[in-house]
Amino acid sequence: MLRYTEELSSLNGVSGNEDDVRKYIISVIDGKCEYHTDNLGNLIVFKKGKKTPEKKLMIAAHMDEVGLIVTYINSDGTLCFDTVGGVNADVVAGRQVVICKNGSKGVVGSKAVHNMSDSERKESVKVSKLCIDIGATSKEEAEKYVALGDFVSFSPGFTRLGNERICSKALDDRIGCAIMIDMINKEPEYDIYFAFTVQEEIGLRGSSTAAFAIAPDFAIVLETTTASDISAVSGAQRVCELGKGAVVSYMDRRTIYDKELYELCFTVAKENNIACQTKTMVAGGNDSGAIHISGKGVRTIAISAPCRYLHSPSCVADTKDIDACSKLVNLLVPRIFEL
């Protein structure tokens, strides 16, 4: 599963440009399940189990990542851009990036700190004040490599931190995708539908169509969620913590989760000695927001790996937490069908 996470997070898949991620997933699940790609780009998978339950379960994770998109080419060959998804400009400045369509390298440039006024140094960085430098010296040269609307990703750089932690772009939500691939490679007790969704980062768009097509009774969303457990943050503001296990939410900005499923997660975790925690703030959102209100309504729960520095080029997660998420979802599935 860690290998899947590394290989998935090294791919570029900014929202609306998930093709490479989808191709990789197909390459490792082909022959082990039924699958198809819908009109929006979701990869819908059906895994036959030993039993066909009366009710239908959908497990979902999104393939896309936050990134950038080219909006203008300046006369000096630098590129203006906007963000795709919730990206803070402070984590963009100075970062190495990749033009997704051809692999051209670039760096996000800004005014040198030596040339800033005192007031400029105190202000937050604005995307409008940044540019992407791909080494071109004119607009004409830049146009040989890039066009308006081209997607731009943070440069891949998966690495280990210490013995049990990993750092990479796009851990949100390639961790969830890796867990689902691992599940598809096993022989489940019950039939399960899996949805590798697109465009979560710009409004839960893929999950809306996937849930409509599958029409599940239950849904489990596999995600990452913000861990603010650093020294400068205390109390409830820490939200959740690395190393303390899977995160099961009771509510976020888009969803009030099914109470019985929420309690069942903690029951299963306790019975099987799986580390499990909840969030200490109502914040964020994920594909659950679209799935739970699809069709006649879907009983939904989210299981997330805590992740520091989310939506940055250097997300950090703990492999013990990823393992806890995997164990919890696998043990939760048969219990859901007993409800």
Side-chain angles (χ1 to χ4, degrees):
M1 195 161 53
L2 185 59
R3 176 175 64 85
Y4 292 141
T5 302
E6 178 176 357
E7 293 176 353
L8 282 163
S9 63
S10 297
L11 299 171
N12 297 323
V14 177
S15 301
N17 189 54
E18 300 92 348
D19 295 12
D20 288 347
V21 180
R22 184 173 54 249
K23 289 175 183 176
Y24 171 87
I25 294 170
I26 290 173
S27 74
V28 295
I29 66 170
D30 191 35
K32 301 169 184 175
C33 57
E34 300 173 23
Y35 62 85
H36 71 276
T37 302
D38 70 12
N39 291 335
L40 206 60
N42 296 308
L43 180 61
I44 308 298
V45 175
F46 174 70
K47 179 70 175 182
K48 183 66 179 172
K50 299 174 184 176
K51 303 175 184 176
T52 298
E54 293 182 4
K55 295 187 177 181
K56 197 181 292 184
L57 170 65
M58 166 184 169
I59 303 178
H62 67 89
M63 297 184 287
D64 59 313
E65 65 190 271
V66 298
L68 314 172
I69 191 167
V70 177
T71 59
Y72 188 75
I73 303 175
N74 297 310
S75 59
D76 64 357
T78 58
L79 315 176
C80 297
F81 65 91
D82 206 342
T83 56
V84 180
V87 184
N88 190 320
D90 289 318
V91 306
V92 178
R95 296 292 184 169
Q96 295 185 39
V97 294
V98 178
I99 308 298
C100 295
K101 72 175 182 181
N102 57 21
S104 295
K105 304 295 194 299
V107 63
V108 179
S110 63
K111 188 174 183 179
V113 66
H114 313 78
N115 296 336
M116 290 181 180
S117 65
D118 290 341
S119 61
E120 285 176 322
R121 293 187 187 194
K122 296 176 183 178
E123 293 175 357
S124 296
V125 178
K126 294 181 174 60
V127 169
S128 60
K129 300 295 184 180
L130 302 175
C131 66
I132 298 173
D133 184 347
I134 60 171
T137 58
S138 66
K139 180 177 182 179
E140 292 72 24
E141 184 181 2
E143 287 176 333
K144 297 177 182 178
Y145 304 96
V146 67
L148 305 191
D150 282 352
F151 292 99
V152 181
S153 173
F154 296 123
S155 291
F158 185 97
T159 189
R160 287 294 198 99
L161 299 180
N163 294 324
E164 295 175 327
R165 293 184 177 175
I166 56 175
C167 175
S168 177
K169 73 173 185 67
L171 293 183
D172 176 18
D173 182 30
R174 306 293 161 72
I175 287 174
C177 292
I179 293 173
M180 293 209 311
I181 291 170
D182 185 63
M183 295 181 75
I184 292 168
N185 285 334
K186 297 175 180 177
E187 297 299 325
E189 187 70 19
Y190 295 94
D191 298 351
I192 304 174
Y193 289 84
F194 294 89
F196 295 89
T197 64
V198 297
Q199 300 185 36
E200 188 267 357
E201 298 292 4
I202 56 173
L204 321 184
R205 298 176 185 180
S207 57
S208 298
T209 59
F212 178 84
I214 295 172
D217 299 286
F218 297 96
I220 303 171
V221 174
L222 296 175
E223 257 285 12
T224 61
T225 193
T226 301
S228 298
D229 57 332
I230 57 176
S231 60
V233 182
S234 60
Q237 301 296 317
R238 293 169 73 84
V239 186
C240 60
E241 299 186 30
L242 264 65
K244 292 194 174 181
V247 180
V248 181
S249 301
Y250 49 84
M251 179 180 174
D252 57 36
R253 295 299 183 191
R254 296 295 299 264
T255 309
I256 296 177
Y257 292 94
D258 185 280
K259 186 68 173 176
E260 189 175 10
L261 293 180
Y262 174 79
E263 292 174 349
L264 181 60
C265 282
F266 283 94
T267 298
V268 171
K270 184 177 181 180
E271 289 174 352
N272 294 277
N273 198 29
I274 300 170
C276 191
Q277 59 184 311
T278 192
K279 293 166 72 171
T280 55
M281 288 184 66
V282 175
N286 55 55
D287 276 337
S288 301
I291 293 169
H292 83 286
I293 56 174
S294 176
K296 296 180 181 180
V298 182
R299 298 182 65 180
T300 304
I301 195 66
I303 299 173
S304 306
C307 186
R308 290 178 185 161
Y309 327 122
L310 211 61
H311 288 194
S312 83
S314 303
C315 305
V316 173
D318 193 307
T319 56
K320 298 193 304 297
D321 297 329
I322 298 172
D323 188 51
C325 290
S326 177
K327 289 178 179 177
L328 180 57
V329 68
N330 276 281
L331 291 168
L332 182 65
V333 168
R335 298 290 290 273
I336 284 179
F337 286 123
E338 294 173 2
L339 296 178

